[in-house]
Amino acid sequence: MTVTGSTKVLAILGHPIGHSLSPLMQNAALEVLGLPFVFIPFAVSPDDLPTAIAGLKSLGVAGFNVTVPHKKSVVPLLDEIDPSARMIGAVNTVKNDNGRFIGYNTDAPGFLQSLREELSFQPQGASVLIIGAGGAARAALHALAAAGIKSVTVANRAEMRARVFCGNFKDSFPNVDMESSDLSLLANEASLSSFDLLVNTTSVGLDGSAFTHFAPASSLVAYDMVYGVKPTPFVQAIRNAGGSAVNGYGMLAAQGEKAFHIWTGVAPPAGLMKKILMEAVCAA
Ligand code: ATR
């Protein structure tokens, strides 16, 4: 990749950022297509986010990703928010549109794409269990509800948070039955087997940790947003019981593909970002 005087800049802002695989997969796709962009990581602390955003605007960057812990706090710093990102309350992709910063959420559609591609999951009429009630759960619920699921149960360590969470979405998706629960539901094999899909949106598993009481029935289908070199205990337990479970690499690649399209106006080569991610993981 040759950087010239007319190369446009894309970036990712996070804290920490050193672990991010986005620069690798975005630059690979830019290079294959020969597009005049370069993608750069920036470690930005929460206190510095407003000045960093103002700086990116002064510098005229073409667009950027925001990741943990900035996905919510970036929202009031932008000029316009896409309606679905507004409803989710989080932005992961920003495009510079003639000096105006427009925020999008590509995590939600990336999650749906990954569900279809990796688990052949069709959301219409499905009954889903979402574990967790934070920002990642909001993106999952928005994506699934907009895609036509019939019902969702939100199970969270702090059940009150799950209840508030469902209450916040009820008016937007009146056709979706919503229930809340605590994590004791995970120990109930019969209840678990009534769901067409389980989604873990919590960070449990990131450090190899497991849910305290989890009784996977056979034939469960599950998506774990956590990703790492090894399958999480959640994914492993479901596979051991005979079910299907995948981790979040597909979502990471798919949100990146959608962001790339927003910035450059063209789709990256199909499957390239996922391939780059898997190569990086295997080499780690
Ligand atoms: P994110 O934006 O990544 O979803 P978040 O908004 O901080 O992050 O939400 C984290 C979610 O993971 C919450 O649902 C949290 O449960 P609580 O609301 O009870 O805190 C869940 N979580 C984090 N650590 C957990 C653990 N060790 N066991 C169970 N749930 C956990």
Side-chain angles (χ1 to χ4, degrees):
M1 181 181 288
T2 308
V3 176
T4 70
S6 58
T7 300
K8 295 176 217 164
V9 175
L10 297 169
I12 181 164
L13 278 57
H15 199 258
I17 200 64
H19 67 287
S20 174
L21 295 171
S22 290
L24 212 56
M25 65 179 193
Q26 293 291 351
N27 283 315
L30 292 167
E31 195 158 0
V32 165
L33 293 181
L35 296 174
F37 294 83
V38 63
F39 187 100
I40 301 168
F42 289 116
V44 176
S45 72
D47 285 350
D48 288 334
L49 188 66
T51 48
I53 299 290
L56 290 177
K57 193 176 259 190
S58 307
L59 295 169
V61 300
F64 54 96
N65 278 142
V66 285
T67 187
V68 178
H70 303 314
K71 289 185 186 184
K72 259 182 148 146
S73 45
V74 76
V75 171
L77 304 173
L78 303 175
D79 298 303
E80 192 179 323
I81 308 293
D82 163 79
S84 62
R86 168 80 61 200
M87 199 186 290
I88 295 165
V91 158
N92 76 319
T93 299
V94 178
K95 179 181 166 66
N96 185 348
D97 185 16
N98 290 316
R100 285 169 52 76
F101 277 177
I102 309 194
Y104 299 87
N105 188 303
T106 68
D107 286 330
F111 169 58
L112 271 191
Q113 181 181 323
S114 182
L115 279 177
R116 290 198 177 102
E117 286 179 359
E118 295 180 81
L119 290 171
S120 304
F121 177 76
Q122 295 300 336
Q124 292 82 4
S127 171
V128 179
L129 172 65
I130 293 179
I131 308 166
R138 289 181 68 83
L141 178 53
H142 184 274
L144 290 164
I149 59 166
K150 181 168 142 290
S151 63
V152 64
T153 298
V154 178
N156 198 45
R157 181 174 57 181
E159 189 187 354
M160 180 52 93
R161 198 171 171 203
R163 214 173 296 159
V164 171
F165 180 98
C166 290
N168 289 340
F169 272 102
K170 260 199 175 110
D171 290 347
S172 308
F173 297 106
N175 296 331
V176 180
D177 294 333
M178 295 187 192
E179 274 185 40
S180 59
S181 163
D182 60 23
L183 294 183
S184 63
L185 183 66
L186 298 182
N188 187 331
E189 202 176 317
S191 298
L192 287 184
S193 58
S194 70
F195 295 106
D196 301 307
L197 175 74
L198 272 54
V199 184
N200 175 35
T201 71
T202 75
S203 51
V204 173
L206 198 58
D207 55 0
S209 55
F211 291 108
T212 322
H213 302 292
F214 179 43
S218 61
S219 80
L220 290 182
V221 175
Y223 198 94
D224 194 345
M225 287 193 178
V226 172
Y227 48 83
V229 178
K230 286 200 217 144
T232 57
F234 177 72
V235 165
Q236 199 58 59
I238 289 165
R239 288 181 184 165
N240 290 348
S244 309
V246 296
N247 66 23
Y249 280 116
M251 179 176 168
L252 179 62
Q255 66 74 31
E257 290 175 357
K258 290 174 193 305
F260 185 100
H261 192 265
I262 287 171
W263 296 320
T264 67
V266 293
L272 175 71
M273 291 196 183
K274 179 84 191 290
K275 180 171 157 275
I276 297 284
L277 287 182
M278 297 331 292
E279 282 171 6
V281 172
C282 291

